[in-house]
Amino acid sequence: MHDEGNRPQSELRQDPTTRNWVIIAPQRGLRPTDLESHSQPTLSSATTSVVCPFCRGEEEETPPEVLRLNDSEGNWRLRVVPNRFAMLSEDGPPRRQISTEGFISMPGVGHHEVVIETPDHSGDLATGGEALVRDVLDVYRARYRALRAERAALIVIFRNHGRSAGTSLSHPHSQIVATPVVPIEVRHRFEVAQQHYDDMGTCLYSDILQRELADGRGIVLETRQFVAFQPFASAFPYETWLMPRLQQASFVSITDHQLDDMAGALRRVLVALRQLLDDPDYNYVIESAPPDQEDREYFVWHLRIAPRLGTPAGFELGSGMRVNPFPPEEAAAALREAVDG
Amino acid sequence: MHDEGNRPQSELRQDPTTRNWVIIAPQRGLRPTDLESHSQPTLSSATTSVVCPFCRGEEEETPPEVLRLNDSEGNWRLRVVPNRFAMLSEDGPPRRQISTEGFISMPGVGHHEVVIETPDHSGDLATGGEALVRDVLDVYRARYRALRAERAALIVIFRNHGRSAGTSLSHPHSQIVATPVVPIEVRHRFEVAQQHYDDMGTCLYSDILQRELADGRGIVLETRQFVAFQPFASAFPYETWLMPRLQQASFVSITDHQLDDMAGALRRVLVALRQLLDDPDYNYVIESAPPDQEDREYFVWHLRIAPRLGTPAGFELGSGMRVNPFPPEEAAAALREAVDG
């Protein structure tokens, strides 16, 4: 049997935004494996497409665009279209139906849009210029405003990069979903923040940012308007938050000045992740206050990046706890070095 | 543009155990893809091992066993050992530490065991006999009892089958983790069940079972003691619950008689899933009452099987809502046909 003497110990860390515990378990990263990578059959009847529906010349493959930016020659450089395979797309009120047996459901009311970020099929936010990232963020804000006006309960802006992050098409794109209800997890985060506000009279998220800045070990980069950091209780290796310094509950409130600053900061983080981790698959999501809670003084919106370097398994399914094999202070140190390095 | 006329609509269904909403979106299964399967670099420094530490003759590769079943020749047929790469392993009280900055943590107190189910490296619960499944369930109960006696806050028994389900070693095994806290998600499920009990005076989980039996479309199989069904608001395609008919809050209370019955039922479900979906990767977990709530009349433990046929992505990360592209009533009909088929 091998020597177990110098194996690092695990610890539990409380995520102050949910009060849930994350298990930081460095020794889990040392496990042996006898498995080769293999493809797994999936349920989908999807077929590998010959033409990419997001490329120039294939505009007929998508529903009509709802927003478009042109280049100097009058060709589109960014398009927003309804998702042809929308998870939510119906109009009308989110009226509950209760079956005889007591099952509760409602129609799939909402919106689901695709932001086709560039005509360059092989492009990426990390390899394009800062103007590309600025365009994408600007369009996020424009569509957020439009969907908010249509009374969405929550607007979720996210990006899936790479197959293991759930992408089905590799052409660079983001997605925006407007839901007819505020999900339980989002409600829970707001309740936790409200309790903190009741107890302390301060904004939990502003306090978290100050705490991370005071500690310093999780900080990835700082700009005038934003801080990128890996939270003390990160649920994933290299989980990185990009948060405004201002107490601002909703992404809809972001100013032009902040947008300029954020574009630079986001690009630097994505470039560093790409360099350090060899273009990892990742998800990012903008966690913003629901439209009916935009005036709250106890939340700060943020962009949360979650690289897909491990696989949640049965333990996570049963407990809802996450196991992170890579302490964020070590990951942040590596990423800090890679930023502009 | 393609005809969108006959595309199925999505709907939201409420999971009564969490009050969260699941999006049932059949059209999501029709998405095209331009991606080939590829392996994704992972953070792990793991190497493909030459010898399997769970095979006969390699007993020195694991810590000393805590339980063992022998065959008629005196060789082991099942072993339980502490996990060498335990996510939790420390003794002592789960004492909170608060840093100067306010970060809250505690030592990784708990247990993490591996159930090596058989010496047969290429075996599987679905291809072995019913006696194998009976052995495994019996050992789950024995270890559950032992860990309960050591004051675990929650005991999570789970099985990861296949690489995309998070397995690192293919030799058939299950895992058992004893945690020092009750996770927030588990607390939440209990609160929801308690509210139902306060309102209705009945057990939510027994009511769910009766509702599914009355409706019938989600039922996969019935035995004298157990029912296998796919819940109305299944979060995953082919998500299947195996639940005792008896109102029994904790797995620790399972009788020998129930155990016999459960072994047959579980094996039939796993065989059917394997045949129907070509040996899919899956997780299963036993969701049981925390030891300090075993006497509650408002919970029923159950084994929850979640095949890994899709990838949760940025939307799920940001909203906590799940998107299931395959309506459970259709999946259950297919699985019902495959059972003993």
Side-chain angles (χ1 to χ4, degrees):
Chain A
M1 194 166 144
H2 301 276
D3 176 31
E4 315 279 306
N6 292 319
R7 182 152 298 161
Q9 295 288 334
S10 64
E11 69 173 3
L12 291 90
R13 297 183 180 180
Q14 192 183 42
D15 177 350
T17 66
T18 61
R19 291 198 178 129
N20 209 353
W21 295 86
V22 172
I23 301 177
I24 306 286
Q27 66 280 22
R28 300 288 294 160
L30 305 171
R31 285 178 293 170
T33 180
D34 66 350
L35 294 170
E36 298 293 326
S37 291
H38 71 290
S39 81
Q40 167 70 7
T42 66
L43 193 72
S44 170
S45 57
T47 47
T48 302
S49 60
V50 182
V51 293
C52 168
F54 295 166
C55 274
R56 242 180 219 158
E58 305 299 335
E59 291 79 8
E60 292 293 302
E61 293 294 316
T62 64
E65 63 207 18
V66 296
L67 189 153
R68 167 182 178 146
L69 301 181
N70 283 345
D71 65 17
S72 55
E73 290 164 17
N75 297 311
W76 65 266
R77 69 174 200 268
L78 184 156
R79 300 174 73 220
V80 182
V81 297
N83 194 313
R84 266 194 64 203
F85 304 91
M87 58 176 84
L88 299 171
S89 61
E90 293 188 54
D91 293 325
R95 194 165 287 144
R96 273 54 164 181
Q97 292 145 4
I98 307 186
S99 76
T100 329
E101 291 81 15
F103 296 121
I104 303 178
S105 63
M106 67 174 131
V109 172
H111 298 273
H112 186 173
E113 299 181 345
V114 180
V115 179
I116 306 170
E117 298 162 348
T118 164
D120 179 7
H121 183 83
S122 316
D124 182 36
L125 285 192
T127 55
E130 193 174 310
L132 169 64
V133 183
R134 178 69 168 73
D135 271 357
V136 168
L137 294 177
D138 200 19
V139 162
Y140 288 170
R141 181 177 60 177
R143 294 310 303 158
Y144 195 105
R145 285 178 179 161
L147 293 169
R148 178 168 165 268
E150 298 194 32
R151 300 194 185 173
L154 187 73
I155 297 161
V156 185
I157 298 173
F158 60 100
R159 188 169 202 270
N160 304 330
H161 177 77
R163 187 188 179 86
S164 70
T167 322
S168 59
L169 291 169
S170 60
H171 194 118
H173 67 284
S174 304
Q175 297 178 71
I176 307 177
V177 173
T179 69
V181 286
V182 177
I184 293 289
E185 274 194 27
V186 176
R187 283 253 185 263
H188 174 69
R189 283 201 293 264
F190 266 75
E191 281 165 16
V192 169
Q194 185 168 13
Q195 282 163 10
H196 180 93
Y197 190 77
D198 288 346
D199 290 347
M200 309 301 294
T202 55
C203 169
L204 173 62
Y205 290 77
S206 303
D207 288 355
I208 288 170
L209 185 58
Q210 290 316 311
R211 192 186 291 173
E212 293 287 357
L213 284 167
D215 181 75
R217 289 177 299 162
I219 303 298
V220 173
L221 69 80
E222 294 187 58
T223 63
R224 290 186 63 158
Q225 305 278 346
F226 283 85
V227 180
F229 63 97
Q230 300 199 0
F232 174 71
S234 293
F236 311 97
Y238 286 95
E239 175 178 345
T240 305
W241 290 29
L242 185 59
M243 188 184 276
R245 293 182 189 266
L246 210 59
Q247 193 278 312
Q248 190 172 55
S250 173
F251 175 70
V252 82
S253 311
I254 192 172
T255 64
D256 287 347
H257 189 55
Q258 281 179 297
L259 213 59
D260 289 336
D261 189 90
M262 183 183 177
L266 177 57
R267 185 170 178 281
R268 286 166 67 197
V269 171
L270 294 178
V271 167
L273 282 170
R274 186 182 175 103
Q275 286 176 349
L276 186 64
L277 301 173
D278 191 19
D279 191 17
D281 292 357
Y282 67 81
N283 305 108
Y284 74 54
V285 60
I286 295 179
E287 300 191 325
S288 177
D292 67 357
Q293 297 180 68
E294 283 169 4
D295 58 345
R296 299 301 191 276
E297 288 172 26
Y298 48 75
F299 188 77
V300 181
W301 72 269
H302 49 277
L303 185 144
R304 183 180 178 197
I305 307 169
R308 302 287 286 240
L309 301 166
T311 306
F315 176 73
E316 288 85 343
L317 179 69
S319 68
M321 293 172 84
R322 294 284 185 166
V323 184
N324 179 352
F326 205 52
E329 53 277 15
E330 294 175 26
L335 195 58
R336 195 162 52 233
E337 193 143 323
V339 165
D340 307 323
Chain B
M1 197 165 143
H2 299 278
D3 176 33
E4 315 278 306
N6 293 318
R7 182 152 296 161
Q9 295 288 335
S10 64
E11 69 173 4
L12 290 91
R13 296 182 180 181
Q14 192 183 42
D15 177 350
T17 66
T18 60
R19 292 197 178 130
N20 209 352
W21 294 86
V22 172
I23 301 176
I24 306 287
Q27 65 279 23
R28 299 289 292 161
L30 305 171
R31 284 177 295 169
T33 180
D34 65 350
L35 293 169
E36 297 294 326
S37 292
H38 72 289
S39 79
Q40 169 69 6
T42 67
L43 193 71
S44 170
S45 57
T47 47
T48 302
S49 61
V50 182
V51 295
C52 168
F54 295 166
C55 275
R56 241 180 219 157
E58 306 298 337
E59 291 78 7
E60 292 292 303
E61 292 294 317
T62 64
E65 62 207 19
V66 295
L67 190 154
R68 168 183 176 145
L69 302 180
N70 282 347
D71 64 18
S72 54
E73 289 164 16
N75 298 312
W76 65 267
R77 67 174 200 268
L78 184 154
R79 301 173 74 220
V80 182
V81 297
N83 193 314
R84 266 193 64 203
F85 303 92
M87 58 177 84
L88 299 170
S89 62
E90 293 187 53
D91 293 325
R95 193 164 289 142
R96 273 54 164 182
Q97 292 144 3
I98 307 186
S99 76
T100 328
E101 291 81 14
F103 296 122
I104 303 179
S105 63
M106 67 175 129
V109 171
H111 298 274
H112 186 173
E113 299 181 345
V114 180
V115 180
I116 306 170
E117 297 163 349
T118 164
D120 179 7
H121 183 84
S122 315
D124 183 34
L125 285 192
T127 55
E130 193 173 312
L132 169 63
V133 183
R134 178 69 168 76
D135 271 357
V136 168
L137 294 178
D138 200 20
V139 162
Y140 287 171
R141 183 178 58 178
R143 293 311 303 159
Y144 195 105
R145 285 177 179 160
L147 292 169
R148 179 167 163 268
E150 297 194 33
R151 300 194 186 174
L154 186 73
I155 297 161
V156 185
I157 299 174
F158 61 98
R159 187 170 203 270
N160 304 330
H161 177 78
R163 187 189 179 85
S164 70
T167 323
S168 58
L169 291 170
S170 60
H171 193 118
H173 66 285
S174 304
Q175 298 178 69
I176 307 177
V177 173
T179 68
V181 287
V182 178
I184 293 288
E185 275 194 26
V186 176
R187 283 253 185 263
H188 174 68
R189 283 201 293 263
F190 266 75
E191 282 166 14
V192 169
Q194 186 168 12
Q195 282 163 10
H196 180 92
Y197 190 77
D198 289 345
D199 291 346
M200 310 300 294
T202 55
C203 169
L204 173 62
Y205 289 77
S206 304
D207 288 354
I208 288 171
L209 185 58
Q210 291 315 311
R211 192 184 291 174
E212 293 286 357
L213 285 166
D215 180 75
R217 289 177 300 162
I219 304 298
V220 172
L221 68 81
E222 294 187 56
T223 64
R224 289 186 64 156
Q225 305 278 346
F226 283 84
V227 180
F229 64 96
Q230 301 198 0
F232 175 72
S234 294
F236 311 98
Y238 286 95
E239 174 177 346
T240 305
W241 290 28
L242 185 60
M243 190 185 274
R245 291 180 189 269
L246 211 59
Q247 193 276 311
Q248 192 173 54
S250 174
F251 175 70
V252 82
S253 311
I254 191 171
T255 65
D256 287 348
H257 190 54
Q258 282 179 298
L259 213 59
D260 290 336
D261 190 88
M262 184 182 176
L266 176 57
R267 185 172 177 281
R268 286 166 68 197
V269 172
L270 294 178
V271 167
L273 282 171
R274 187 182 173 100
Q275 286 176 349
L276 187 64
L277 301 174
D278 190 19
D279 190 18
D281 292 357
Y282 67 81
N283 305 109
Y284 75 53
V285 60
I286 295 179
E287 299 191 325
S288 178
D292 67 357
Q293 298 180 68
E294 284 169 3
D295 59 344
R296 298 301 192 276
E297 289 171 26
Y298 48 74
F299 188 76
V300 182
W301 72 269
H302 50 275
L303 185 145
R304 182 181 179 196
I305 308 170
R308 303 287 287 239
L309 301 167
T311 304
F315 176 72
E316 289 85 342
L317 177 69
S319 68
M321 295 172 83
R322 294 284 185 168
V323 183
N324 179 352
F326 206 50
E329 54 276 16
E330 295 175 26
L335 195 57
R336 196 161 53 232
E337 192 142 325
V339 165
D340 307 324

